[in-house]
Amino acid sequence: MSESFTIAVDGPAAAGKGTISKAVAAHYGFGHLDTGLLYRAVGAKMMEGTAAAEAARNLTPEDLARDDLRGPEVAQAASKVAVIAEVRAALVDFQRAFARRAGGAVLDGRDIGTVICPYAQVKLFVTASAEVRARRRFLELTSAGKVVSLEDVLADVKARDERDMNRAEAPLKPAADAVLIDTSELSIDEALAAALTVIEARRQAVPQS
Ligand code: DC
């Protein structure tokens, strides 16, 4: 397939969208862009004293390859810089160019189906209850050796949801034509199967070249 085929995967933190997106991209041989990483890289630079908009305009591949972007402090910083219109604007072109790459692309984030790729052939909104998401993130962090409490992780998840859903610029919400996948009660395999069912139906409907 040489035409671009774009799959937009949005949803709140730790709903499973990263896992689903990676697996979907591997399944079809598509490229995958975790757009949260862009905001995390900007957040990390802001924590070091760089103005957020300037950091967003000058992001380098090395900034994205840092191994300290996954922690909860950087996640909160990412959510904070993500409310700034200049930051979001500086990251749009890169994301859209990735989405149009030949051979297909999966992008996951908060505003992919609504703002970055409103033309995407498939839009998924992956969600789960805040408690389930906090438990998953807690297990992820503790198994990576981080010392955190479940209570703090839940508070972090809720604070980030609140900020991401209520900001003026590109708030987290499902696109009108997104298909909702609630992973609260699903295993990873079940969630992936649900996503592939939706995508296959769209691939049948959209002519391939
Ligand atoms: O997906 P993540 O947890 O790595 O995202 C970190 C933060 O970045 C998230 O809380 C909000 C912001 N973000 C965003 O505003 N838009 C995106 N497309 C992706 C992430």
Side-chain angles (χ1 to χ4, degrees), residues 10-14 17 34-37 39-40 69-70 74-80 82-83 88 95 108-112 116 137 160-161 163-164 167 170:
D10 291 303
K17 62 186 188 307
D34 166 7
T35 65
L37 212 56
Y39 292 90
R40 285 173 183 262
L69 300 181
R70 290 283 160 208
V74 175
Q76 288 296 337
S79 173
K80 286 178 188 160
V83 308
R88 306 201 71 83
Q95 295 176 83
D108 73 83
R110 302 290 187 289
D111 62 340
I112 309 302
I116 302 295
R137 190 45 56 89
R160 214 135 66 86
D161 283 358
R163 201 182 298 113
D164 295 347
R167 66 187 177 215

PDB file of all heavy atoms in Angstrom, residues 10-14 17 34-37 39-40 69-70 74-80 82-83 88 95 108-112 116 137 160-161 163-164 167 170, ligand 1:
ATOM      1  N   ASP A  10      -6.688   8.086  20.401  1.00  0.00           N
ATOM      2  CA  ASP A  10      -6.677   9.051  21.504  1.00  0.00           C
ATOM      3  C   ASP A  10      -7.214   8.422  22.774  1.00  0.00           C
ATOM      4  O   ASP A  10      -7.888   7.388  22.741  1.00  0.00           O
ATOM      5  CB  ASP A  10      -7.536  10.273  21.132  1.00  0.00           C
ATOM      6  CG  ASP A  10      -6.895  11.091  20.027  1.00  0.00           C
ATOM      7  OD1 ASP A  10      -5.736  11.520  20.215  1.00  0.00           O
ATOM      8  OD2 ASP A  10      -7.539  11.287  18.984  1.00  0.00           O
ATOM      9  N   GLY A  11      -6.931   9.094  23.889  1.00  0.00           N
ATOM     10  CA  GLY A  11      -7.480   8.625  25.160  1.00  0.00           C
ATOM     11  C   GLY A  11      -6.658   9.155  26.313  1.00  0.00           C
ATOM     12  O   GLY A  11      -5.585   9.730  26.109  1.00  0.00           O
ATOM     13  N   PRO A  12      -7.156   8.972  27.528  1.00  0.00           N
ATOM     14  CA  PRO A  12      -6.445   9.469  28.708  1.00  0.00           C
ATOM     15  C   PRO A  12      -5.223   8.605  29.046  1.00  0.00           C
ATOM     16  O   PRO A  12      -5.017   7.548  28.442  1.00  0.00           O
ATOM     17  CB  PRO A  12      -7.508   9.373  29.808  1.00  0.00           C
ATOM     18  CG  PRO A  12      -8.410   8.270  29.371  1.00  0.00           C
ATOM     19  CD  PRO A  12      -8.426   8.311  27.869  1.00  0.00           C
ATOM     20  N   ALA A  13      -4.441   9.066  30.012  1.00  0.00           N
ATOM     21  CA  ALA A  13      -3.216   8.373  30.416  1.00  0.00           C
ATOM     22  C   ALA A  13      -3.504   6.943  30.867  1.00  0.00           C
ATOM     23  O   ALA A  13      -4.474   6.692  31.589  1.00  0.00           O
ATOM     24  CB  ALA A  13      -2.556   9.140  31.567  1.00  0.00           C
ATOM     25  N   ALA A  14      -2.653   6.025  30.443  1.00  0.00           N
ATOM     26  CA  ALA A  14      -2.673   4.630  30.900  1.00  0.00           C
ATOM     27  C   ALA A  14      -3.962   3.874  30.582  1.00  0.00           C
ATOM     28  O   ALA A  14      -4.311   2.904  31.246  1.00  0.00           O
ATOM     29  CB  ALA A  14      -2.375   4.546  32.405  1.00  0.00           C
ATOM     30  N   LYS A  17      -3.655   2.963  25.191  1.00  0.00           N
ATOM     31  CA  LYS A  17      -3.547   3.393  23.786  1.00  0.00           C
ATOM     32  C   LYS A  17      -2.141   3.184  23.220  1.00  0.00           C
ATOM     33  O   LYS A  17      -2.006   2.863  22.041  1.00  0.00           O
ATOM     34  CB  LYS A  17      -4.036   4.822  23.579  1.00  0.00           C
ATOM     35  CG  LYS A  17      -3.265   5.872  24.341  1.00  0.00           C
ATOM     36  CD  LYS A  17      -3.912   7.225  24.178  1.00  0.00           C
ATOM     37  CE  LYS A  17      -3.026   8.308  24.771  1.00  0.00           C
ATOM     38  NZ  LYS A  17      -2.618   8.048  26.185  1.00  0.00           N
ATOM     39  N   ASP A  34       4.270   8.068  19.106  1.00  0.00           N
ATOM     40  CA  ASP A  34       3.710   8.340  20.431  1.00  0.00           C
ATOM     41  C   ASP A  34       3.832   9.854  20.636  1.00  0.00           C
ATOM     42  O   ASP A  34       4.896  10.353  20.989  1.00  0.00           O
ATOM     43  CB  ASP A  34       4.540   7.559  21.462  1.00  0.00           C
ATOM     44  CG  ASP A  34       4.296   8.013  22.892  1.00  0.00           C
ATOM     45  OD1 ASP A  34       3.398   8.838  23.125  1.00  0.00           O
ATOM     46  OD2 ASP A  34       5.015   7.521  23.784  1.00  0.00           O
ATOM     47  N   THR A  35       2.748  10.585  20.375  1.00  0.00           N
ATOM     48  CA  THR A  35       2.855  12.058  20.392  1.00  0.00           C
ATOM     49  C   THR A  35       3.034  12.591  21.815  1.00  0.00           C
ATOM     50  O   THR A  35       3.512  13.705  21.997  1.00  0.00           O
ATOM     51  CB  THR A  35       1.634  12.731  19.730  1.00  0.00           C
ATOM     52  OG1 THR A  35       0.457  12.448  20.503  1.00  0.00           O
ATOM     53  CG2 THR A  35       1.442  12.255  18.302  1.00  0.00           C
ATOM     54  N   GLY A  36       2.675  11.791  22.817  1.00  0.00           N
ATOM     55  CA  GLY A  36       2.896  12.205  24.208  1.00  0.00           C
ATOM     56  C   GLY A  36       4.376  12.457  24.481  1.00  0.00           C
ATOM     57  O   GLY A  36       4.741  13.309  25.289  1.00  0.00           O
ATOM     58  N   LEU A  37       5.213  11.720  23.758  1.00  0.00           N
ATOM     59  CA  LEU A  37       6.659  11.861  23.929  1.00  0.00           C
ATOM     60  C   LEU A  37       7.127  13.271  23.554  1.00  0.00           C
ATOM     61  O   LEU A  37       8.061  13.809  24.152  1.00  0.00           O
ATOM     62  CB  LEU A  37       7.351  10.816  23.047  1.00  0.00           C
ATOM     63  CG  LEU A  37       8.665  10.247  23.545  1.00  0.00           C
ATOM     64  CD1 LEU A  37       8.528   9.635  24.924  1.00  0.00           C
ATOM     65  CD2 LEU A  37       9.182   9.217  22.548  1.00  0.00           C
ATOM     66  N   TYR A  39       5.403  16.044  23.932  1.00  0.00           N
ATOM     67  CA  TYR A  39       5.043  16.925  25.057  1.00  0.00           C
ATOM     68  C   TYR A  39       5.910  16.618  26.278  1.00  0.00           C
ATOM     69  O   TYR A  39       6.276  17.516  27.035  1.00  0.00           O
ATOM     70  CB  TYR A  39       3.548  16.796  25.366  1.00  0.00           C
ATOM     71  CG  TYR A  39       2.707  17.354  24.242  1.00  0.00           C
ATOM     72  CD1 TYR A  39       2.290  16.538  23.196  1.00  0.00           C
ATOM     73  CD2 TYR A  39       2.386  18.704  24.188  1.00  0.00           C
ATOM     74  CE1 TYR A  39       1.557  17.048  22.129  1.00  0.00           C
ATOM     75  CE2 TYR A  39       1.663  19.224  23.134  1.00  0.00           C
ATOM     76  CZ  TYR A  39       1.243  18.388  22.102  1.00  0.00           C
ATOM     77  OH  TYR A  39       0.532  18.911  21.050  1.00  0.00           O
ATOM     78  N   ARG A  40       6.244  15.358  26.453  1.00  0.00           N
ATOM     79  CA  ARG A  40       7.123  14.995  27.582  1.00  0.00           C
ATOM     80  C   ARG A  40       8.511  15.613  27.390  1.00  0.00           C
ATOM     81  O   ARG A  40       9.118  16.109  28.347  1.00  0.00           O
ATOM     82  CB  ARG A  40       7.234  13.465  27.701  1.00  0.00           C
ATOM     83  CG  ARG A  40       5.992  12.834  28.302  1.00  0.00           C
ATOM     84  CD  ARG A  40       6.048  11.318  28.244  1.00  0.00           C
ATOM     85  NE  ARG A  40       4.827  10.742  28.765  1.00  0.00           N
ATOM     86  CZ  ARG A  40       4.676  10.276  30.005  1.00  0.00           C
ATOM     87  NH1 ARG A  40       5.687  10.276  30.839  1.00  0.00           N
ATOM     88  NH2 ARG A  40       3.517   9.794  30.407  1.00  0.00           N
ATOM     89  N   LEU A  69      12.053  10.355  30.294  1.00  0.00           N
ATOM     90  CA  LEU A  69      10.784  11.000  29.922  1.00  0.00           C
ATOM     91  C   LEU A  69       9.552  10.279  30.468  1.00  0.00           C
ATOM     92  O   LEU A  69       8.446  10.789  30.361  1.00  0.00           O
ATOM     93  CB  LEU A  69      10.669  11.119  28.395  1.00  0.00           C
ATOM     94  CG  LEU A  69      11.755  11.944  27.693  1.00  0.00           C
ATOM     95  CD1 LEU A  69      11.503  12.000  26.189  1.00  0.00           C
ATOM     96  CD2 LEU A  69      11.841  13.352  28.269  1.00  0.00           C
ATOM     97  N   ARG A  70       9.743   9.100  31.051  1.00  0.00           N
ATOM     98  CA  ARG A  70       8.586   8.274  31.420  1.00  0.00           C
ATOM     99  C   ARG A  70       8.074   8.484  32.841  1.00  0.00           C
ATOM    100  O   ARG A  70       7.021   7.950  33.195  1.00  0.00           O
ATOM    101  CB  ARG A  70       8.926   6.793  31.221  1.00  0.00           C
ATOM    102  CG  ARG A  70       9.057   6.407  29.787  1.00  0.00           C
ATOM    103  CD  ARG A  70       7.691   6.251  29.138  1.00  0.00           C
ATOM    104  NE  ARG A  70       7.754   6.343  27.696  1.00  0.00           N
ATOM    105  CZ  ARG A  70       6.759   6.772  26.928  1.00  0.00           C
ATOM    106  NH1 ARG A  70       5.628   7.163  27.462  1.00  0.00           N
ATOM    107  NH2 ARG A  70       6.874   6.818  25.638  1.00  0.00           N
ATOM    108  N   VAL A  74       7.715  14.242  34.887  1.00  0.00           N
ATOM    109  CA  VAL A  74       7.745  14.694  33.493  1.00  0.00           C
ATOM    110  C   VAL A  74       6.330  14.615  32.891  1.00  0.00           C
ATOM    111  O   VAL A  74       5.934  15.479  32.108  1.00  0.00           O
ATOM    112  CB  VAL A  74       8.764  13.873  32.658  1.00  0.00           C
ATOM    113  CG1 VAL A  74       8.704  14.272  31.185  1.00  0.00           C
ATOM    114  CG2 VAL A  74      10.168  14.092  33.186  1.00  0.00           C
ATOM    115  N   ALA A  75       5.564  13.594  33.296  1.00  0.00           N
ATOM    116  CA  ALA A  75       4.191  13.473  32.784  1.00  0.00           C
ATOM    117  C   ALA A  75       3.363  14.697  33.169  1.00  0.00           C
ATOM    118  O   ALA A  75       2.618  15.257  32.355  1.00  0.00           O
ATOM    119  CB  ALA A  75       3.537  12.207  33.324  1.00  0.00           C
ATOM    120  N   GLN A  76       3.503  15.132  34.417  1.00  0.00           N
ATOM    121  CA  GLN A  76       2.764  16.317  34.859  1.00  0.00           C
ATOM    122  C   GLN A  76       3.249  17.561  34.128  1.00  0.00           C
ATOM    123  O   GLN A  76       2.453  18.404  33.707  1.00  0.00           O
ATOM    124  CB  GLN A  76       2.921  16.529  36.378  1.00  0.00           C
ATOM    125  CG  GLN A  76       2.161  15.527  37.248  1.00  0.00           C
ATOM    126  CD  GLN A  76       0.646  15.612  37.079  1.00  0.00           C
ATOM    127  OE1 GLN A  76       0.087  16.615  36.664  1.00  0.00           O
ATOM    128  NE2 GLN A  76      -0.041  14.525  37.402  1.00  0.00           N
ATOM    129  N   ALA A  77       4.576  17.663  33.946  1.00  0.00           N
ATOM    130  CA  ALA A  77       5.127  18.817  33.224  1.00  0.00           C
ATOM    131  C   ALA A  77       4.614  18.819  31.785  1.00  0.00           C
ATOM    132  O   ALA A  77       4.279  19.873  31.230  1.00  0.00           O
ATOM    133  CB  ALA A  77       6.658  18.774  33.252  1.00  0.00           C
ATOM    134  N   ALA A  78       4.527  17.624  31.181  1.00  0.00           N
ATOM    135  CA  ALA A  78       4.028  17.510  29.806  1.00  0.00           C
ATOM    136  C   ALA A  78       2.590  18.012  29.724  1.00  0.00           C
ATOM    137  O   ALA A  78       2.219  18.768  28.818  1.00  0.00           O
ATOM    138  CB  ALA A  78       4.095  16.050  29.352  1.00  0.00           C
ATOM    139  N   SER A  79       1.790  17.603  30.686  1.00  0.00           N
ATOM    140  CA  SER A  79       0.383  18.011  30.699  1.00  0.00           C
ATOM    141  C   SER A  79       0.278  19.534  30.878  1.00  0.00           C
ATOM    142  O   SER A  79      -0.612  20.173  30.311  1.00  0.00           O
ATOM    143  CB  SER A  79      -0.319  17.236  31.819  1.00  0.00           C
ATOM    144  OG  SER A  79      -1.622  17.667  32.007  1.00  0.00           O
ATOM    145  N   LYS A  80       1.221  20.116  31.630  1.00  0.00           N
ATOM    146  CA  LYS A  80       1.201  21.582  31.840  1.00  0.00           C
ATOM    147  C   LYS A  80       1.615  22.333  30.581  1.00  0.00           C
ATOM    148  O   LYS A  80       0.973  23.311  30.203  1.00  0.00           O
ATOM    149  CB  LYS A  80       2.114  21.958  33.021  1.00  0.00           C
ATOM    150  CG  LYS A  80       1.487  21.590  34.351  1.00  0.00           C
ATOM    151  CD  LYS A  80       2.393  21.917  35.515  1.00  0.00           C
ATOM    152  CE  LYS A  80       1.782  21.343  36.802  1.00  0.00           C
ATOM    153  NZ  LYS A  80       2.761  21.185  37.859  1.00  0.00           N
ATOM    154  N   ALA A  82       1.319  21.313  27.666  1.00  0.00           N
ATOM    155  CA  ALA A  82       0.357  20.988  26.609  1.00  0.00           C
ATOM    156  C   ALA A  82      -0.828  21.950  26.560  1.00  0.00           C
ATOM    157  O   ALA A  82      -1.580  21.948  25.592  1.00  0.00           O
ATOM    158  CB  ALA A  82      -0.141  19.548  26.773  1.00  0.00           C
ATOM    159  N   VAL A  83      -0.990  22.782  27.591  1.00  0.00           N
ATOM    160  CA  VAL A  83      -2.090  23.764  27.555  1.00  0.00           C
ATOM    161  C   VAL A  83      -1.673  25.021  26.775  1.00  0.00           C
ATOM    162  O   VAL A  83      -2.509  25.860  26.452  1.00  0.00           O
ATOM    163  CB  VAL A  83      -2.577  24.200  28.972  1.00  0.00           C
ATOM    164  CG1 VAL A  83      -2.906  23.008  29.834  1.00  0.00           C
ATOM    165  CG2 VAL A  83      -1.554  25.091  29.665  1.00  0.00           C
ATOM    166  N   ARG A  88       1.653  23.709  21.269  1.00  0.00           N
ATOM    167  CA  ARG A  88       0.878  22.803  20.424  1.00  0.00           C
ATOM    168  C   ARG A  88       1.109  23.138  18.948  1.00  0.00           C
ATOM    169  O   ARG A  88       1.309  22.262  18.120  1.00  0.00           O
ATOM    170  CB  ARG A  88      -0.613  22.853  20.762  1.00  0.00           C
ATOM    171  CG  ARG A  88      -0.947  22.605  22.229  1.00  0.00           C
ATOM    172  CD  ARG A  88      -2.388  22.163  22.425  1.00  0.00           C
ATOM    173  NE  ARG A  88      -2.590  20.817  21.929  1.00  0.00           N
ATOM    174  CZ  ARG A  88      -2.317  19.698  22.612  1.00  0.00           C
ATOM    175  NH1 ARG A  88      -1.872  19.762  23.849  1.00  0.00           N
ATOM    176  NH2 ARG A  88      -2.507  18.521  22.082  1.00  0.00           N
ATOM    177  N   GLN A  95       3.809  16.227  13.386  1.00  0.00           N
ATOM    178  CA  GLN A  95       2.835  15.144  13.561  1.00  0.00           C
ATOM    179  C   GLN A  95       2.078  14.878  12.262  1.00  0.00           C
ATOM    180  O   GLN A  95       1.848  13.724  11.879  1.00  0.00           O
ATOM    181  CB  GLN A  95       1.846  15.495  14.678  1.00  0.00           C
ATOM    182  CG  GLN A  95       2.511  15.591  16.046  1.00  0.00           C
ATOM    183  CD  GLN A  95       1.523  16.046  17.115  1.00  0.00           C
ATOM    184  OE1 GLN A  95       0.771  15.258  17.656  1.00  0.00           O
ATOM    185  NE2 GLN A  95       1.519  17.340  17.415  1.00  0.00           N
ATOM    186  N   ASP A 108      -0.674   8.086  18.428  1.00  0.00           N
ATOM    187  CA  ASP A 108      -1.503   8.108  19.630  1.00  0.00           C
ATOM    188  C   ASP A 108      -1.246   9.362  20.442  1.00  0.00           C
ATOM    189  O   ASP A 108      -0.153   9.914  20.424  1.00  0.00           O
ATOM    190  CB  ASP A 108      -1.367   6.817  20.452  1.00  0.00           C
ATOM    191  CG  ASP A 108      -0.061   6.682  21.204  1.00  0.00           C
ATOM    192  OD1 ASP A 108       0.043   7.246  22.305  1.00  0.00           O
ATOM    193  OD2 ASP A 108       0.844   5.991  20.700  1.00  0.00           O
ATOM    194  N   GLY A 109      -2.330   9.846  21.067  1.00  0.00           N
ATOM    195  CA  GLY A 109      -2.221  11.091  21.833  1.00  0.00           C
ATOM    196  C   GLY A 109      -3.546  11.497  22.447  1.00  0.00           C
ATOM    197  O   GLY A 109      -4.287  10.644  22.964  1.00  0.00           O
ATOM    198  N   ARG A 110      -3.812  12.803  22.379  1.00  0.00           N
ATOM    199  CA  ARG A 110      -5.044  13.322  22.982  1.00  0.00           C
ATOM    200  C   ARG A 110      -5.940  14.007  21.954  1.00  0.00           C
ATOM    201  O   ARG A 110      -7.148  14.095  22.138  1.00  0.00           O
ATOM    202  CB  ARG A 110      -4.720  14.355  24.080  1.00  0.00           C
ATOM    203  CG  ARG A 110      -3.836  13.866  25.213  1.00  0.00           C
ATOM    204  CD  ARG A 110      -4.563  12.866  26.083  1.00  0.00           C
ATOM    205  NE  ARG A 110      -3.808  12.505  27.281  1.00  0.00           N
ATOM    206  CZ  ARG A 110      -2.706  11.768  27.308  1.00  0.00           C
ATOM    207  NH1 ARG A 110      -2.203  11.286  26.190  1.00  0.00           N
ATOM    208  NH2 ARG A 110      -2.107  11.484  28.456  1.00  0.00           N
ATOM    209  N   ASP A 111      -5.311  14.538  20.882  1.00  0.00           N
ATOM    210  CA  ASP A 111      -6.040  15.370  19.915  1.00  0.00           C
ATOM    211  C   ASP A 111      -5.799  14.914  18.490  1.00  0.00           C
ATOM    212  O   ASP A 111      -5.895  15.708  17.565  1.00  0.00           O
ATOM    213  CB  ASP A 111      -5.584  16.833  20.057  1.00  0.00           C
ATOM    214  CG  ASP A 111      -4.087  16.991  19.738  1.00  0.00           C
ATOM    215  OD1 ASP A 111      -3.359  15.978  19.781  1.00  0.00           O
ATOM    216  OD2 ASP A 111      -3.667  18.113  19.414  1.00  0.00           O
ATOM    217  N   ILE A 112      -5.440  13.658  18.311  1.00  0.00           N
ATOM    218  CA  ILE A 112      -5.080  13.204  16.962  1.00  0.00           C
ATOM    219  C   ILE A 112      -6.322  13.166  16.064  1.00  0.00           C
ATOM    220  O   ILE A 112      -6.309  13.697  14.958  1.00  0.00           O
ATOM    221  CB  ILE A 112      -4.383  11.817  16.995  1.00  0.00           C
ATOM    222  CG1 ILE A 112      -3.218  11.824  17.996  1.00  0.00           C
ATOM    223  CG2 ILE A 112      -3.913  11.418  15.599  1.00  0.00           C
ATOM    224  CD1 ILE A 112      -2.158  12.870  17.740  1.00  0.00           C
ATOM    225  N   ILE A 116      -5.196  17.015  14.924  1.00  0.00           N
ATOM    226  CA  ILE A 116      -4.016  16.724  14.091  1.00  0.00           C
ATOM    227  C   ILE A 116      -4.417  16.017  12.791  1.00  0.00           C
ATOM    228  O   ILE A 116      -3.993  16.413  11.710  1.00  0.00           O
ATOM    229  CB  ILE A 116      -2.975  15.874  14.874  1.00  0.00           C
ATOM    230  CG1 ILE A 116      -2.533  16.609  16.154  1.00  0.00           C
ATOM    231  CG2 ILE A 116      -1.771  15.520  14.005  1.00  0.00           C
ATOM    232  CD1 ILE A 116      -1.782  17.903  15.923  1.00  0.00           C
ATOM    233  N   ARG A 137      -0.658   1.981  35.852  1.00  0.00           N
ATOM    234  CA  ARG A 137       0.520   2.862  35.870  1.00  0.00           C
ATOM    235  C   ARG A 137       1.380   2.566  37.093  1.00  0.00           C
ATOM    236  O   ARG A 137       2.604   2.553  37.023  1.00  0.00           O
ATOM    237  CB  ARG A 137       0.029   4.321  35.850  1.00  0.00           C
ATOM    238  CG  ARG A 137       1.037   5.416  35.629  1.00  0.00           C
ATOM    239  CD  ARG A 137       2.046   5.224  34.532  1.00  0.00           C
ATOM    240  NE  ARG A 137       1.612   4.966  33.169  1.00  0.00           N
ATOM    241  CZ  ARG A 137       1.346   5.871  32.257  1.00  0.00           C
ATOM    242  NH1 ARG A 137       1.409   7.136  32.549  1.00  0.00           N
ATOM    243  NH2 ARG A 137       1.002   5.532  31.037  1.00  0.00           N
ATOM    244  N   ARG A 160      -4.142  14.934  35.792  1.00  0.00           N
ATOM    245  CA  ARG A 160      -3.795  15.034  34.372  1.00  0.00           C
ATOM    246  C   ARG A 160      -5.060  14.974  33.512  1.00  0.00           C
ATOM    247  O   ARG A 160      -5.217  15.753  32.572  1.00  0.00           O
ATOM    248  CB  ARG A 160      -2.842  13.902  34.006  1.00  0.00           C
ATOM    249  CG  ARG A 160      -1.840  14.285  32.978  1.00  0.00           C
ATOM    250  CD  ARG A 160      -0.454  13.830  33.324  1.00  0.00           C
ATOM    251  NE  ARG A 160      -0.276  12.392  33.337  1.00  0.00           N
ATOM    252  CZ  ARG A 160       0.018  11.652  32.269  1.00  0.00           C
ATOM    253  NH1 ARG A 160       0.069  12.189  31.071  1.00  0.00           N
ATOM    254  NH2 ARG A 160       0.260  10.368  32.398  1.00  0.00           N
ATOM    255  N   ASP A 161      -6.004  14.080  33.858  1.00  0.00           N
ATOM    256  CA  ASP A 161      -7.285  13.998  33.136  1.00  0.00           C
ATOM    257  C   ASP A 161      -7.967  15.354  33.146  1.00  0.00           C
ATOM    258  O   ASP A 161      -8.441  15.841  32.125  1.00  0.00           O
ATOM    259  CB  ASP A 161      -8.252  13.034  33.852  1.00  0.00           C
ATOM    260  CG  ASP A 161      -7.921  11.574  33.594  1.00  0.00           C
ATOM    261  OD1 ASP A 161      -6.982  11.290  32.839  1.00  0.00           O
ATOM    262  OD2 ASP A 161      -8.625  10.716  34.168  1.00  0.00           O
ATOM    263  N   ARG A 163      -6.764  18.360  33.671  1.00  0.00           N
ATOM    264  CA  ARG A 163      -6.088  19.397  32.881  1.00  0.00           C
ATOM    265  C   ARG A 163      -6.231  19.116  31.381  1.00  0.00           C
ATOM    266  O   ARG A 163      -6.524  20.009  30.595  1.00  0.00           O
ATOM    267  CB  ARG A 163      -4.612  19.476  33.284  1.00  0.00           C
ATOM    268  CG  ARG A 163      -3.983  20.789  32.932  1.00  0.00           C
ATOM    269  CD  ARG A 163      -2.503  20.856  33.297  1.00  0.00           C
ATOM    270  NE  ARG A 163      -2.218  20.729  34.712  1.00  0.00           N
ATOM    271  CZ  ARG A 163      -1.588  19.694  35.257  1.00  0.00           C
ATOM    272  NH1 ARG A 163      -1.182  18.678  34.520  1.00  0.00           N
ATOM    273  NH2 ARG A 163      -1.347  19.639  36.550  1.00  0.00           N
ATOM    274  N   ASP A 164      -6.060  17.846  30.986  1.00  0.00           N
ATOM    275  CA  ASP A 164      -6.091  17.507  29.559  1.00  0.00           C
ATOM    276  C   ASP A 164      -7.498  17.676  28.970  1.00  0.00           C
ATOM    277  O   ASP A 164      -7.646  18.047  27.805  1.00  0.00           O
ATOM    278  CB  ASP A 164      -5.607  16.059  29.330  1.00  0.00           C
ATOM    279  CG  ASP A 164      -4.132  15.855  29.695  1.00  0.00           C
ATOM    280  OD1 ASP A 164      -3.410  16.864  29.898  1.00  0.00           O
ATOM    281  OD2 ASP A 164      -3.700  14.682  29.779  1.00  0.00           O
ATOM    282  N   ARG A 167      -8.675  21.928  29.080  1.00  0.00           N
ATOM    283  CA  ARG A 167      -7.905  23.046  28.518  1.00  0.00           C
ATOM    284  C   ARG A 167      -8.652  23.622  27.304  1.00  0.00           C
ATOM    285  O   ARG A 167      -9.459  22.930  26.665  1.00  0.00           O
ATOM    286  CB  ARG A 167      -6.498  22.578  28.135  1.00  0.00           C
ATOM    287  CG  ARG A 167      -6.484  21.594  27.016  1.00  0.00           C
ATOM    288  CD  ARG A 167      -5.093  21.030  26.769  1.00  0.00           C
ATOM    289  NE  ARG A 167      -5.141  20.029  25.717  1.00  0.00           N
ATOM    290  CZ  ARG A 167      -4.397  18.944  25.682  1.00  0.00           C
ATOM    291  NH1 ARG A 167      -3.531  18.689  26.637  1.00  0.00           N
ATOM    292  NH2 ARG A 167      -4.502  18.092  24.674  1.00  0.00           N
ATOM    293  N   ALA A 170      -7.325  22.254  22.007  1.00  0.00           N
ATOM    294  CA  ALA A 170      -7.311  20.827  21.686  1.00  0.00           C
ATOM    295  C   ALA A 170      -7.530  19.937  22.914  1.00  0.00           C
ATOM    296  O   ALA A 170      -6.707  19.073  23.215  1.00  0.00           O
ATOM    297  CB  ALA A 170      -5.987  20.472  21.002  1.00  0.00           C
TER     298      ALA A 170
HETATM  299  O1   DC B   1       0.423  10.157  26.406  1.00  0.00           O
HETATM  300  P1   DC B   1       1.303  10.709  27.543  1.00  0.00           P
HETATM  301  O2   DC B   1       0.839  10.278  28.900  1.00  0.00           O
HETATM  302  O3   DC B   1       2.748  10.428  27.320  1.00  0.00           O
HETATM  303  O4   DC B   1       1.116  12.322  27.439  1.00  0.00           O
HETATM  304  C1   DC B   1       1.725  13.215  28.346  1.00  0.00           C
HETATM  305  C2   DC B   1       0.950  14.537  28.332  1.00  0.00           C
HETATM  306  O5   DC B   1       1.140  15.184  27.074  1.00  0.00           O
HETATM  307  C3   DC B   1      -0.553  14.417  28.493  1.00  0.00           C
HETATM  308  O6   DC B   1      -0.947  14.462  29.845  1.00  0.00           O
HETATM  309  C4   DC B   1      -1.087  15.584  27.709  1.00  0.00           C
HETATM  310  C5   DC B   1      -0.052  15.857  26.679  1.00  0.00           C
HETATM  311  N1   DC B   1      -0.433  15.410  25.326  1.00  0.00           N
HETATM  312  C6   DC B   1      -1.249  16.237  24.589  1.00  0.00           C
HETATM  313  O7   DC B   1      -1.695  17.263  25.089  1.00  0.00           O
HETATM  314  N2   DC B   1      -1.569  15.932  23.310  1.00  0.00           N
HETATM  315  C7   DC B   1      -1.117  14.801  22.749  1.00  0.00           C
HETATM  316  N3   DC B   1      -1.436  14.518  21.485  1.00  0.00           N
HETATM  317  C8   DC B   1      -0.309  13.912  23.497  1.00  0.00           C
HETATM  318  C9   DC B   1       0.008  14.239  24.809  1.00  0.00           C
END
